[in-house]
Amino acid sequence: MKYIKLKNGPIEENSFIVWNEKSHEGGIIDPGFTELNEYDKYLKENNIIIKYIINTHGHWDHIKNNKIVKNAYGAKLLIHEADAEYLINPQLNLSYYYDKEIENTTADVLLKDNDEISLGDEKLKVMHTPGHTLGSIILYNDSLAFTGDTLFFGSVGRCDLPNSDKEIMVQTIEKFKKLLPKDALILPGHGNIESKFSEQLEINPFLTGKMKPK
Ligand SMILES: [Zn+2]
Ligand SMILES: [Zn+2]
């Protein structure tokens, strides 16, 4: 599976294009601030047909351009069932506080733990990782892990927002420590440093147990 990280915006939020090189089927992960012409450029260059838009969770900085991208490519919008409400609730998705301009759109498919998203003969697995939000997910295969706001370089997502839960985040950390492949490249929802999961297991204080989610 191939991926491109889009040039990121005001809060170093990351959007990605993923695709199957043989079938040209692709998905867009977290269309936050990325403009349509940025996506267009890469989609044309690589001959990609967007089938899915996938939100790692429902916060405004990850869903802001859902509607624009969905209308442009006619793709299905996917989010974990526990975050579906975020798409239409400005207090939950935080746009009420940060950005009153965002346009709501509902999901086409609600995801559950262990679901698989197919792009041709390749798959991304859905791991439900509640804590930062109730319906946060990590999308992963053997070589890539899109961790949203659950796992960052050297940190984990904050748990002081509406519907966040520190105790559940502790369980989520144990869960992804067991399930994520050591060789997977960690591609978080914010920040520009890339690392393998094996490196995070050694240097991330929230994974080594030196720090607790807050
Ligand atoms: Zn978030
Ligand atoms: Zn975020």
mmCIF file of all heavy atoms in Angstrom, residues 37-59:
data_model
loop_
_atom_site.group_PDB
_atom_site.id
_atom_site.type_symbol
_atom_site.label_atom_id
_atom_site.label_comp_id
_atom_site.label_asym_id
_atom_site.label_seq_id
_atom_site.Cartn_x
_atom_site.Cartn_y
_atom_site.Cartn_z
ATOM 1 N N ASN A 37 -7.349 21.204 -4.224
ATOM 2 C CA ASN A 37 -6.338 21.179 -5.303
ATOM 3 C C ASN A 37 -5.065 20.444 -4.897
ATOM 4 O O ASN A 37 -4.345 19.916 -5.748
ATOM 5 C CB ASN A 37 -6.042 22.587 -5.837
ATOM 6 C CG ASN A 37 -5.570 23.537 -4.765
ATOM 7 O OD1 ASN A 37 -5.293 23.119 -3.644
ATOM 8 N ND2 ASN A 37 -5.475 24.807 -5.100
ATOM 9 N N GLU A 38 -4.788 20.383 -3.585
ATOM 10 C CA GLU A 38 -3.651 19.584 -3.105
ATOM 11 C C GLU A 38 -3.900 18.095 -3.369
ATOM 12 O O GLU A 38 -3.039 17.381 -3.871
ATOM 13 C CB GLU A 38 -3.462 19.785 -1.602
ATOM 14 C CG GLU A 38 -2.640 20.995 -1.214
ATOM 15 C CD GLU A 38 -1.176 20.826 -1.590
ATOM 16 O OE1 GLU A 38 -0.569 19.811 -1.207
ATOM 17 O OE2 GLU A 38 -0.656 21.710 -2.292
ATOM 18 N N TYR A 39 -5.129 17.646 -2.998
ATOM 19 C CA TYR A 39 -5.477 16.243 -3.261
ATOM 20 C C TYR A 39 -5.451 15.967 -4.762
ATOM 21 O O TYR A 39 -4.876 14.985 -5.217
ATOM 22 C CB TYR A 39 -6.868 15.906 -2.706
ATOM 23 C CG TYR A 39 -6.967 15.922 -1.203
ATOM 24 C CD1 TYR A 39 -7.774 16.847 -0.559
ATOM 25 C CD2 TYR A 39 -6.256 15.014 -0.428
ATOM 26 C CE1 TYR A 39 -7.878 16.867 0.829
ATOM 27 C CE2 TYR A 39 -6.348 15.026 0.955
ATOM 28 C CZ TYR A 39 -7.167 15.960 1.577
ATOM 29 O OH TYR A 39 -7.263 15.989 2.941
ATOM 30 N N ASP A 40 -6.101 16.863 -5.525
ATOM 31 C CA ASP A 40 -6.216 16.684 -6.977
ATOM 32 C C ASP A 40 -4.871 16.409 -7.631
ATOM 33 O O ASP A 40 -4.743 15.528 -8.470
ATOM 34 C CB ASP A 40 -6.826 17.943 -7.618
ATOM 35 C CG ASP A 40 -8.348 17.909 -7.600
ATOM 36 O OD1 ASP A 40 -8.902 16.804 -7.442
ATOM 37 O OD2 ASP A 40 -8.961 18.978 -7.721
ATOM 38 N N LYS A 41 -3.911 17.206 -7.218
ATOM 39 C CA LYS A 41 -2.556 17.111 -7.795
ATOM 40 C C LYS A 41 -2.024 15.672 -7.670
ATOM 41 O O LYS A 41 -1.611 15.075 -8.659
ATOM 42 C CB LYS A 41 -1.655 18.088 -7.028
ATOM 43 C CG LYS A 41 -0.288 18.302 -7.589
ATOM 44 C CD LYS A 41 0.429 19.441 -6.871
ATOM 45 C CE LYS A 41 0.861 19.060 -5.465
ATOM 46 N NZ LYS A 41 1.361 20.195 -4.665
ATOM 47 N N TYR A 42 -2.085 15.105 -6.473
ATOM 48 C CA TYR A 42 -1.540 13.758 -6.252
ATOM 49 C C TYR A 42 -2.422 12.675 -6.858
ATOM 50 O O TYR A 42 -1.931 11.660 -7.337
ATOM 51 C CB TYR A 42 -1.349 13.504 -4.761
ATOM 52 C CG TYR A 42 -0.291 14.386 -4.156
ATOM 53 C CD1 TYR A 42 -0.619 15.407 -3.278
ATOM 54 C CD2 TYR A 42 1.053 14.198 -4.488
ATOM 55 C CE1 TYR A 42 0.357 16.224 -2.731
ATOM 56 C CE2 TYR A 42 2.031 15.014 -3.947
ATOM 57 C CZ TYR A 42 1.672 16.029 -3.063
ATOM 58 O OH TYR A 42 2.632 16.838 -2.531
ATOM 59 N N LEU A 43 -3.738 12.904 -6.836
ATOM 60 C CA LEU A 43 -4.637 11.889 -7.382
ATOM 61 C C LEU A 43 -4.431 11.748 -8.889
ATOM 62 O O LEU A 43 -4.393 10.648 -9.425
ATOM 63 C CB LEU A 43 -6.096 12.242 -7.069
ATOM 64 C CG LEU A 43 -6.458 12.309 -5.583
ATOM 65 C CD1 LEU A 43 -7.932 12.605 -5.393
ATOM 66 C CD2 LEU A 43 -6.079 11.022 -4.862
ATOM 67 N N LYS A 44 -4.267 12.891 -9.562
ATOM 68 C CA LYS A 44 -4.027 12.857 -11.011
ATOM 69 C C LYS A 44 -2.680 12.231 -11.311
ATOM 70 O O LYS A 44 -2.557 11.357 -12.166
ATOM 71 C CB LYS A 44 -4.107 14.273 -11.589
ATOM 72 C CG LYS A 44 -5.536 14.782 -11.655
ATOM 73 C CD LYS A 44 -5.721 15.917 -12.659
ATOM 74 C CE LYS A 44 -7.147 16.447 -12.577
ATOM 75 N NZ LYS A 44 -7.237 17.678 -11.761
ATOM 76 N N GLU A 45 -1.663 12.707 -10.605
ATOM 77 C CA GLU A 45 -0.292 12.213 -10.800
ATOM 78 C C GLU A 45 -0.210 10.692 -10.708
ATOM 79 O O GLU A 45 0.520 10.050 -11.441
ATOM 80 C CB GLU A 45 0.588 12.794 -9.693
ATOM 81 C CG GLU A 45 1.812 13.557 -10.171
ATOM 82 C CD GLU A 45 2.486 14.231 -8.976
ATOM 83 O OE1 GLU A 45 3.003 13.525 -8.087
ATOM 84 O OE2 GLU A 45 2.451 15.472 -8.944
ATOM 85 N N ASN A 46 -0.968 10.117 -9.772
ATOM 86 C CA ASN A 46 -0.870 8.680 -9.502
ATOM 87 C C ASN A 46 -2.090 7.893 -9.972
ATOM 88 O O ASN A 46 -2.204 6.707 -9.690
ATOM 89 C CB ASN A 46 -0.652 8.445 -8.009
ATOM 90 C CG ASN A 46 0.642 9.056 -7.521
ATOM 91 O OD1 ASN A 46 1.718 8.524 -7.776
ATOM 92 N ND2 ASN A 46 0.550 10.202 -6.859
ATOM 93 N N ASN A 47 -2.989 8.612 -10.668
ATOM 94 C CA ASN A 47 -4.139 7.933 -11.244
ATOM 95 C C ASN A 47 -4.990 7.211 -10.199
ATOM 96 O O ASN A 47 -5.387 6.057 -10.374
ATOM 97 C CB ASN A 47 -3.602 6.932 -12.286
ATOM 98 C CG ASN A 47 -4.617 6.636 -13.361
ATOM 99 O OD1 ASN A 47 -5.671 7.268 -13.402
ATOM 100 N ND2 ASN A 47 -4.317 5.670 -14.200
ATOM 101 N N ILE A 48 -5.269 7.898 -9.083
ATOM 102 C CA ILE A 48 -5.964 7.280 -7.949
ATOM 103 C C ILE A 48 -7.462 7.616 -7.984
ATOM 104 O O ILE A 48 -7.837 8.755 -8.245
ATOM 105 C CB ILE A 48 -5.377 7.788 -6.610
ATOM 106 C CG1 ILE A 48 -3.878 7.488 -6.529
ATOM 107 C CG2 ILE A 48 -6.109 7.167 -5.421
ATOM 108 C CD1 ILE A 48 -3.153 8.281 -5.453
ATOM 109 N N ILE A 49 -8.277 6.590 -7.729
ATOM 110 C CA ILE A 49 -9.720 6.792 -7.594
ATOM 111 C C ILE A 49 -10.067 6.682 -6.107
ATOM 112 O O ILE A 49 -9.853 5.631 -5.495
ATOM 113 C CB ILE A 49 -10.514 5.715 -8.373
ATOM 114 C CG1 ILE A 49 -10.051 5.666 -9.822
ATOM 115 C CG2 ILE A 49 -12.017 5.955 -8.278
ATOM 116 C CD1 ILE A 49 -9.963 4.253 -10.358
ATOM 117 N N ILE A 50 -10.597 7.768 -5.544
ATOM 118 C CA ILE A 50 -10.898 7.764 -4.108
ATOM 119 C C ILE A 50 -12.223 7.056 -3.839
ATOM 120 O O ILE A 50 -13.271 7.470 -4.312
ATOM 121 C CB ILE A 50 -10.939 9.209 -3.553
ATOM 122 C CG1 ILE A 50 -9.540 9.828 -3.613
ATOM 123 C CG2 ILE A 50 -11.461 9.233 -2.105
ATOM 124 C CD1 ILE A 50 -8.485 9.113 -2.791
ATOM 125 N N LYS A 51 -12.138 5.952 -3.061
ATOM 126 C CA LYS A 51 -13.346 5.197 -2.683
ATOM 127 C C LYS A 51 -13.855 5.597 -1.307
ATOM 128 O O LYS A 51 -15.044 5.562 -1.043
ATOM 129 C CB LYS A 51 -13.034 3.692 -2.651
ATOM 130 C CG LYS A 51 -12.943 3.048 -4.024
ATOM 131 C CD LYS A 51 -12.728 1.547 -3.882
ATOM 132 C CE LYS A 51 -13.968 0.837 -3.370
ATOM 133 N NZ LYS A 51 -13.733 -0.625 -3.184
ATOM 134 N N TYR A 52 -12.900 5.908 -0.415
ATOM 135 C CA TYR A 52 -13.281 6.162 0.983
ATOM 136 C C TYR A 52 -12.621 7.411 1.545
ATOM 137 O O TYR A 52 -11.487 7.735 1.196
ATOM 138 C CB TYR A 52 -12.846 4.982 1.879
ATOM 139 C CG TYR A 52 -13.389 3.657 1.458
ATOM 140 C CD1 TYR A 52 -12.532 2.645 1.020
ATOM 141 C CD2 TYR A 52 -14.751 3.394 1.507
ATOM 142 C CE1 TYR A 52 -13.020 1.407 0.627
ATOM 143 C CE2 TYR A 52 -15.252 2.161 1.122
ATOM 144 C CZ TYR A 52 -14.380 1.172 0.689
ATOM 145 O OH TYR A 52 -14.867 -0.041 0.295
ATOM 146 N N ILE A 53 -13.359 8.070 2.429
ATOM 147 C CA ILE A 53 -12.790 9.086 3.300
ATOM 148 C C ILE A 53 -12.909 8.501 4.701
ATOM 149 O O ILE A 53 -13.996 8.091 5.115
ATOM 150 C CB ILE A 53 -13.579 10.405 3.218
ATOM 151 C CG1 ILE A 53 -13.564 10.924 1.775
ATOM 152 C CG2 ILE A 53 -13.024 11.436 4.183
ATOM 153 C CD1 ILE A 53 -14.753 11.809 1.468
ATOM 154 N N ILE A 54 -11.797 8.427 5.401
ATOM 155 C CA ILE A 54 -11.814 7.775 6.711
ATOM 156 C C ILE A 54 -11.348 8.773 7.769
ATOM 157 O O ILE A 54 -10.266 9.357 7.635
ATOM 158 C CB ILE A 54 -10.884 6.541 6.727
ATOM 159 C CG1 ILE A 54 -11.114 5.667 5.485
ATOM 160 C CG2 ILE A 54 -11.113 5.721 8.011
ATOM 161 C CD1 ILE A 54 -9.886 4.910 5.025
ATOM 162 N N ASN A 55 -12.168 8.969 8.800
ATOM 163 C CA ASN A 55 -11.795 9.848 9.912
ATOM 164 C C ASN A 55 -11.236 9.000 11.051
ATOM 165 O O ASN A 55 -11.887 8.048 11.501
ATOM 166 C CB ASN A 55 -13.005 10.637 10.420
ATOM 167 C CG ASN A 55 -13.551 11.643 9.426
ATOM 168 O OD1 ASN A 55 -14.752 11.866 9.356
ATOM 169 N ND2 ASN A 55 -12.693 12.269 8.640
ATOM 170 N N THR A 56 -10.044 9.350 11.534
ATOM 171 C CA THR A 56 -9.476 8.615 12.683
ATOM 172 C C THR A 56 -10.268 8.901 13.952
ATOM 173 O O THR A 56 -10.259 8.118 14.887
ATOM 174 C CB THR A 56 -8.007 9.002 12.939
ATOM 175 O OG1 THR A 56 -7.924 10.417 13.188
ATOM 176 C CG2 THR A 56 -7.126 8.625 11.757
ATOM 177 N N HIS A 57 -10.934 10.067 13.987
ATOM 178 C CA HIS A 57 -11.872 10.430 15.058
ATOM 179 C C HIS A 57 -12.593 11.694 14.622
ATOM 180 O O HIS A 57 -12.320 12.232 13.550
ATOM 181 C CB HIS A 57 -11.155 10.595 16.403
ATOM 182 C CG HIS A 57 -10.157 11.714 16.466
ATOM 183 N ND1 HIS A 57 -9.025 11.748 15.694
ATOM 184 C CD2 HIS A 57 -10.125 12.846 17.225
ATOM 185 C CE1 HIS A 57 -8.338 12.842 15.976
ATOM 186 N NE2 HIS A 57 -8.989 13.536 16.893
ATOM 187 N N GLY A 58 -13.515 12.181 15.481
ATOM 188 C CA GLY A 58 -14.437 13.210 15.012
ATOM 189 C C GLY A 58 -14.087 14.654 15.330
ATOM 190 O O GLY A 58 -14.965 15.513 15.219
ATOM 191 N N HIS A 59 -12.868 14.955 15.719
ATOM 192 C CA HIS A 59 -12.543 16.357 16.024
ATOM 193 C C HIS A 59 -12.450 17.218 14.767
ATOM 194 O O HIS A 59 -12.018 16.739 13.715
ATOM 195 C CB HIS A 59 -11.241 16.451 16.830
ATOM 196 C CG HIS A 59 -11.428 16.133 18.282
ATOM 197 N ND1 HIS A 59 -10.464 15.513 19.046
ATOM 198 C CD2 HIS A 59 -12.498 16.343 19.105
ATOM 199 C CE1 HIS A 59 -10.928 15.364 20.285
ATOM 200 N NE2 HIS A 59 -12.150 15.850 20.341
#
